Amino acid sequence: GENVEQHPSTLSVQEGDSAVIKCTYSDSASNYFPWYKQELGKGPQLIIDIRSNVGEKKDQRIAVTLNKTAKHFSLHITETQPEDSAVYFCAASIIGADGLTFGKGTHLIIQP
Amino acid sequence: NAGVTQTPKFQVLKTGQSMTLQCAQDMNHEYMSWYRQDPGMGLRLIHYSVGAGITDQGEVPNGYNVSRSTTEDFPLRLLSAAPSQTSVYFCASSWGPEETQYFGPGTRLLVL
């Protein structure tokens, strides 16, 4: 089955700086890659996703890049703000298969 | 719309007891799923359903049963609770496994 590795497990950045979280996946058939944000005591919430026919997608301060050859995708957050502090999960899925395989999460800490 | 609701929010069980975790959604989504979240392990798929009357196993199904008699409800049953089932359980719904997953607020379960 699919295996998703996520790094780093904890990331601390100064407010206003950029943050990058990286994930790799094992199954070359995977073609859907979402990112979820989880705030303390809440369920995960989708923040951005990308499909395999696209190399990059951007939504305001958040962007995701995908390198299918290397089986690698990354989340980029620019101009970080205190409300960006949370746990972020990447995931991968094969369209038509049973569900998402999640990475183990990154705890992002925004230092004031 | 209430979105995805889960009850109870917190439960303490003794080893060997049974219980049902409730999940309901009001978005008319066909796809529903259950995940468990353990520290440092991310979210792991337990069971999922692609529509009423259809269920299937995910990555970690042992010790759990599900049924899907209506589009709205997808309960998760623990027949004989074990300490290894201590976890936070999330229910999610969507139009499909490769579409935005809407997560409930979670049920925190402690098995003594």
Side-chain angles (χ1 to χ4, degrees):
Chain A
E2 174 67 280
N3 183 49
V4 177
E5 298 284 341
Q6 181 171 349
H7 300 281
S9 57
T10 304
L11 178 60
S12 181
V13 300
Q14 291 293 125
E15 183 178 349
D17 288 349
S18 296
V20 180
I21 303 170
K22 300 180 179 181
C23 288
T24 59
Y25 60 98
S26 61
D27 194 332
S28 57
S30 290
N31 47 15
Y32 175 62
F33 307 94
W35 286 88
Y36 284 81
K37 176 183 181 181
Q38 185 178 27
E39 297 177 342
L40 193 62
K42 297 184 178 180
Q45 185 173 15
L46 181 76
I47 55 171
I48 196 167
D49 58 10
I50 192 168
R51 300 180 191 272
S52 60
N53 57 346
V54 176
E56 183 174 0
K57 184 176 179 180
K58 191 174 181 180
D59 182 4
Q60 299 182 354
R61 297 186 297 108
I62 295 173
V64 57
T65 59
L66 172 65
N67 183 328
K68 287 219 71 178
T69 302
K71 290 190 280 188
H72 168 276
F73 59 112
S74 300
L75 177 71
H76 304 255
I77 305 174
T78 59
E79 300 173 6
T80 53
Q81 301 171 2
E83 54 265 36
D84 295 329
S85 292
V87 178
Y88 291 81
F89 292 96
C90 63
S93 173
I94 302 169
I95 291 179
D98 53 10
L100 294 171
T101 300
F102 283 85
K104 294 183 178 180
T106 295
H107 185 195
L108 177 61
I109 302 166
I110 308 301
Q111 302 280 4
Chain B
N1 286 353
V4 179
T5 58
Q6 291 184 240
T7 56
K9 291 183 180 180
F10 182 72
Q11 183 73 45
V12 179
L13 290 179
K14 293 181 180 179
T15 297
Q17 286 184 317
S18 63
M19 79 160 296
T20 299
L21 281 64
Q22 302 291 345
C23 174
Q25 53 94 7
D26 60 359
M27 297 173 280
N28 204 32
H29 286 158
E30 290 293 329
Y31 182 85
M32 296 186 74
S33 54
W34 277 101
Y35 290 86
R36 61 177 288 173
Q37 183 175 32
D38 302 294
M41 295 294 293
L43 293 100
R44 292 181 292 169
L45 183 65
I46 305 172
H47 284 285
Y48 66 97
S49 169
V50 299
I54 306 169
T55 64
D56 209 341
Q57 297 180 351
E59 178 186 356
V60 288
N62 292 343
Y64 309 95
N65 281 348
V66 292
S67 60
R68 185 93 178 272
S69 57
T70 66
T71 299
E72 294 78 19
D73 301 296
F74 190 42
L76 178 72
R77 297 183 184 87
L78 284 71
L79 298 179
S80 179
S84 61
Q85 295 177 304
T86 293
S87 187
V88 181
Y89 292 85
F90 288 100
C91 177
S93 76
S94 70
W95 294 114
E98 70 278 4
E99 303 295 334
T100 302
Q101 303 293 312
Y102 293 89
F103 284 85
T107 293
R108 187 175 297 275
L109 177 66
L110 175 62
V111 183
L112 301 175

